[in-house]
Amino acid sequence: MARDKTLIVGNWKLNLTVGESSLLVHELSKLVKNHRDVEVVLAPTSLALQTLSLQVNHRQFKLAAQNFYWRDHGPYTGEISAAQLRGIAQFALVGHSERRHIFNDSDKDIRAKVQAAIRNHIRPILCIGETASERANGETQDTLHDQLIGGLANVTSEELEHIIIAYEPVWAIGTGQNAHPHDVSQAIRSIRSQIKHLYGTKQAENMQVLYGGSVTADGASSYLALPDVDGLLVGGASLDAHAFSEIIKKAHKSAGASKV
Ligand code: PEP
């Protein structure tokens, strides 16, 4: 997938009822203009996905699942599969740090979820990032490398075109601690060089890589201006219609500026 659109993804996490989700989409639909150069993706609670898929203008908003089980069907009580999400969600988060650290999603689970998403025509957004202690120990590159290898094992070069990487330093998620744009740039360069090593130059250049971690309407532009950043994964600020629509506006402005 070419890097022709800036991707802005709102991760609502475990927030909002179905009714509240619907209301937020209604507010956003009034505030967000359709921009050819920006793709907006909303990741509500799984319960709201079907309702929202009937509600949204699909040119304005795409939908993402926050999580799913990697098997398509069977005796797995309480789970939702990518096969069931097919046609409802166009994207899915995989390997979000909250899944890795709170729910113990392993590299094996993450790899299987990437495969399940692709098999069901859902684009996985593979989240990777180092913890504060890995950063302090100078292990950022190794962590990114291990998580990339862990998530992408079995992925062919063709399949890679459907995958998006989100670089999310764990210490910056939900903490209000901002990663320095220079460090973000460096981490994403290291991700591209690892993709180059695994798949070649063209695949590395075409890879869509997002940044995520306490992004606000005020701070968004400093990341969007980085040539290596193809979009943002936004948690907290995506629950506020005004803040999120400001971030989308900034993405449009920044995409326009980079073409001048
Ligand atoms: C996230 O949920 O991926 C995230 C980056 O959250 P926040 O923006 O709240 O840090």
Side-chain angles (χ1 to χ4, degrees), residues 8-9 13 167-169 172-179 184 210-224 229 231-240 243-244 246-248 250:
I8 304 294
V9 184
K13 311 194 190 203
Y167 169 58
E168 298 208 295
I173 298 178
T175 58
Q177 267 186 274
N178 293 115
V184 171
L210 315 181
Y211 168 71
S214 296
V215 172
T216 59
D218 286 342
S221 298
S222 62
Y223 301 112
L224 290 163
V229 170
L232 301 169
L233 176 46
V234 184
S238 70
L239 291 165
D240 179 313
F244 194 56
E246 268 312 300
I247 292 172
I248 295 162
K250 289 187 172 169

Side-chain angles (χ1 to χ4, degrees), residues 4-6 8 35 37-38 220-232 246-260:
D4 55 348
K5 282 191 182 195
T6 303
I8 304 294
H35 299 297
D37 48 14
V38 182
S221 298
S222 62
Y223 301 112
L224 290 163
L226 300 171
D228 288 302
V229 170
D230 302 312
L232 301 169
E246 268 312 300
I247 292 172
I248 295 162
K249 262 187 224 159
K250 289 187 172 169
H252 171 58
K253 239 171 122 179
S254 166
S258 67
K259 280 179 199 136
V260 174

Side-chain angles (χ1 to χ4, degrees), residues 134-186:
E134 285 163 342
R135 180 171 186 246
N137 293 333
E139 294 166 1
T140 298
Q141 283 209 18
D142 288 347
T143 304
L144 298 178
H145 176 263
D146 292 351
Q147 291 180 351
L148 272 179
I149 300 266
L152 297 179
N154 311 331
V155 168
T156 65
S157 188
E158 258 175 26
E159 288 170 339
L160 190 74
E161 292 179 18
H162 304 292
I163 297 178
I164 295 150
I165 306 283
Y167 169 58
E168 298 208 295
V170 178
W171 50 270
I173 298 178
T175 58
Q177 267 186 274
N178 293 115
H180 194 285
H182 177 263
D183 295 340
V184 171
S185 226
Q186 216 173 20

Side-chain angles (χ1 to χ4, degrees), residues 62-116:
K62 302 279 190 290
L63 295 173
Q66 294 178 18
N67 183 43
F68 56 94
Y69 187 50
W70 56 271
R71 295 221 191 245
D72 284 349
H73 43 75
Y76 307 104
T77 302
E79 293 298 329
I80 293 172
S81 73
Q84 292 170 319
L85 291 166
R86 189 174 178 156
I88 296 175
Q90 296 72 44
F91 296 81
L93 302 182
V94 179
H96 190 281
S97 79
E98 287 150 18
R99 298 290 326 166
R100 290 181 194 263
H101 297 112
I102 304 171
F103 300 100
N104 297 322
D105 277 15
S106 67
D107 279 336
K108 193 164 162 253
D109 298 323
I110 290 164
R111 176 180 322 155
K113 287 182 186 191
V114 167
Q115 290 293 322

